[in-house]
């Protein structure tokens, strides 16, 4: 952050040197006054326009800085406001406290949004369909391209600004715990297999708020920001990310009423929304799970629906691969080889 800060008593020549040092990064400086308050932003374009007005390089940066800069408030980091600034092309966004002092800088090249959620990745399964690959390596640690499968998801969550990330572990747990040592990711060991959602109860979540829960063996480009906004806009208890599943029937299908045929359709194609293994839950639901009982995600979802809760869904626009078989694994590896070759 300090590399982007410059004080208001600096000259434009000082600013040019600082901007030159930022080459290859976001070339924007944040100008602060003697009391540490942010008073403007400065780019090489601002300096160029000032020079055309015959401002001297020995003059203060305040003679060239942009004073009507955009920022966010630290006490109210609005996801929609941040998205609007990002879509305007802003790459460095100041977050200020009530006195106008800088709390943090959001570099949208690295952190696209700041979702106020926790995340839990379920990584306790045995991956039996991928044996013998998973006999000595937990499936989330199998390498796809340059990284372990789970690392793609961890990085995507961090780009979305999610700070509290938990990984539930069981099978070959020590390998996963060692993998995440000193990374800031918290591993939670299941006392026994608790199903596809049961171990989420073990995460130290606050009562209020929301948590992303997802399978750790997915390769996906899901927008966690879109999923979160859908969840809060609809005031859902659960929002399920889905992937389209199409089924083509190779026969003519009859519509009937008792013993009477009312219509016939030749080789229809049916479309469904399939559960993609990515959810947002209200924390209170996860905290209500029994601590020592196996619970699968569909069981909890059915319970919430039966109780009259709000369950919504959001189709994933982009990549989604559930790496559950050898064919899926080979497909994921080929995909990442192609992505690497385009860099």
């Amino acid at each position: 952050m300090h590399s982007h800060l410059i004080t208001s008593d600096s000259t434009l020549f000082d600013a040019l040197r600082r901007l030159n040092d930022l080459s290859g990064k976001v070339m924007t400086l944040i100008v602060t006054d003697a009391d540490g308050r942010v008073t403007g932003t400065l780019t090489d374009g601002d300096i160029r326009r000032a020079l055309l007005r015959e401002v001297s390089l020995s003059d203060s940066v305040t003679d060239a800085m942009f004073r009507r800069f955009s920022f966010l408030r630290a006490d109210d980091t609005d996801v929609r406001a941040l998205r609007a600034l990002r879509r305007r092309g802003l790459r460095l966004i100041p977050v200020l406290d009530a006195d106008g002092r800088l709390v943090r800088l959001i570099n949208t090249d690295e952190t696209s949004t700041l979702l106020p959620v926790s995340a839990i990745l379920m990584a306790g399964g045995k991956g039996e369909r991928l044996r013998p690959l998973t006999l000595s390596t937990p499936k989330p640690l199998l390498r796809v391209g340059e990284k372990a499968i789970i690392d793609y998801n961890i990085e995507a969550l961090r780009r979305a600004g999610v700070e509290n990330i938990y990984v539930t572990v069981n099978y070959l747990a020590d390998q996963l715990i060692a993998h995440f040592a000193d990374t800031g990711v918290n591993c939670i060991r299941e006392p026994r297999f608790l199903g596809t959602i049961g171990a989420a109860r073990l995460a130290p979540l606050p009562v209020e708020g929301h948590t992303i829960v997802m399978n750790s063996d997915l390769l996906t480009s899901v927008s966690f920001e879109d999923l979160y906004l859908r969840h809060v806009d609809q005031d859902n208890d659960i929002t399920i990310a889905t992937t389209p599943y199409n089924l083509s029937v190779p026969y003519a299908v009859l519509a009937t009423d008792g013993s009477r045929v009312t219509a016939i359709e030749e080789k229809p194609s049916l479309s469904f929304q399939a559960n993609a293994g990515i959810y947002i839950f209200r924390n209170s639901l996860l905290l209500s799970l029994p601590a020592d009982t196996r619970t699968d995600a569909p069981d909890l979802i059915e319970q919430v629906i039966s109780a009259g809760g709000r369950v919504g869904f959001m189709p994933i626009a982009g990549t989604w691969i559930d790496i559950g078989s050898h064919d899926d694994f080979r497909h994921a590896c080929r995909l990442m080889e192609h992505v690497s070759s385009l860099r």
Side-chain angles (χ1 to χ4, degrees):
M1 183 169 77
H2 295 298
S3 61
H4 289 277
L5 300 184
I6 192 167
T7 56
S8 56
D9 58 357
S10 302
T11 67
L12 289 178
F13 184 76
D14 295 330
L16 282 175
R17 292 173 62 180
R18 295 289 301 281
L19 286 169
N20 187 64
D21 292 339
L22 290 173
S23 180
K25 303 177 182 178
V26 181
M27 296 183 67
T28 301
L29 295 174
I30 308 297
V31 182
T32 60
D33 65 16
D35 294 321
R37 295 183 178 86
V38 177
T39 56
T41 59
L42 189 68
T43 66
D44 55 357
D46 295 321
I47 297 175
R48 184 170 60 252
R49 286 184 286 274
L51 293 176
L52 290 172
R53 299 196 313 268
E54 299 186 354
V55 174
S56 168
L57 285 176
S58 61
D59 289 336
S60 169
V61 292
T62 58
D63 294 323
M65 71 183 185
F66 183 65
R67 298 176 184 272
R68 298 188 304 277
F69 62 95
S70 298
F71 63 92
L72 297 173
R73 289 290 184 191
D75 57 356
D76 183 25
T77 305
D78 187 318
V79 174
R80 287 194 184 279
L82 175 52
R83 177 153 77 169
L85 294 178
R86 189 182 71 238
R87 289 180 171 178
R88 280 172 43 195
L90 273 68
R91 297 171 62 202
L92 200 68
I93 302 170
V95 179
L96 309 181
D97 65 16
D99 295 322
R101 293 184 174 87
L102 189 67
V103 174
R104 67 176 294 179
L105 281 174
I106 301 172
N107 182 340
T108 58
D109 291 345
E110 301 170 354
T111 304
S112 61
T113 187
L114 290 176
L115 300 184
V117 298
S118 300
I120 303 173
L121 286 87
M122 314 302 289
K126 295 182 179 181
E128 292 178 336
R129 288 183 295 162
L130 276 175
R131 290 182 175 176
L133 296 177
T134 53
L135 288 175
S136 58
T137 302
K139 183 164 68 168
L141 291 187
L142 294 177
R143 295 186 71 81
V144 173
E146 301 173 354
K147 304 168 191 168
I149 298 169
I150 195 172
D151 287 342
Y152 290 101
N153 297 316
I154 296 290
E155 291 177 6
L157 288 165
R158 283 180 164 158
R159 283 195 301 273
V162 180
E163 296 182 351
N164 295 323
I165 301 176
Y166 304 94
V167 175
T168 64
V169 299
N170 190 321
Y171 176 68
L172 300 177
D174 290 342
Q175 290 187 40
L176 283 155
I177 292 170
H179 181 77
F180 289 114
D182 303 319
T183 66
V185 174
N186 304 287
C187 288
I188 299 174
R189 191 188 292 263
E190 288 180 285
R192 60 189 183 85
F193 289 108
L194 294 175
T196 59
I197 195 70
R201 174 66 179 85
L202 305 177
L205 302 174
V207 175
E208 301 297 326
H210 311 271
T211 294
I212 294 170
V213 179
M214 64 183 295
N215 298 340
S216 62
D217 53 0
L218 303 174
L219 195 63
T220 178
S221 59
V222 63
S223 169
F224 293 116
E225 181 181 68
D226 287 348
L227 185 64
Y228 170 77
L229 290 174
R230 175 74 63 92
H231 181 75
V232 296
D233 287 350
Q234 296 183 350
D235 193 28
N236 289 337
D237 297 300
I238 306 171
T239 303
I240 307 167
T242 62
T243 185
Y245 183 81
N246 299 313
L247 178 64
S248 296
V249 180
Y251 311 106
V253 174
L254 305 182
T256 61
D257 181 6
S259 61
R260 200 167 142 265
V261 176
T262 59
I264 185 168
E265 184 177 0
E266 184 70 24
K267 298 179 180 180
S269 179
L270 307 177
S271 181
F272 303 93
Q273 291 295 327
N275 182 354
I278 306 169
Y279 319 87
I280 296 187
F281 289 90
R282 287 191 189 275
N283 287 354
S284 56
L285 289 175
L286 299 177
L287 294 173
S288 71
L289 289 166
D292 58 352
T293 303
R294 178 190 175 94
T295 308
D296 290 326
D299 299 331
L300 177 58
I301 293 167
E302 287 285 357
Q303 291 170 19
V304 173
I305 293 172
S306 297
R310 293 182 62 89
V311 178
F313 73 96
M314 186 199 78
I316 294 173
T319 302
W320 180 84
I321 302 174
D322 177 14
I323 306 176
S325 69
H326 286 277
D327 284 343
D328 295 328
F329 181 66
R330 284 190 290 268
H331 174 51
C333 290
R334 285 194 300 269
L335 176 64
M336 294 315 298
E337 286 174 5
H338 176 67
V339 169
S340 298
S341 69
L342 296 177
R343 290 175 184 164

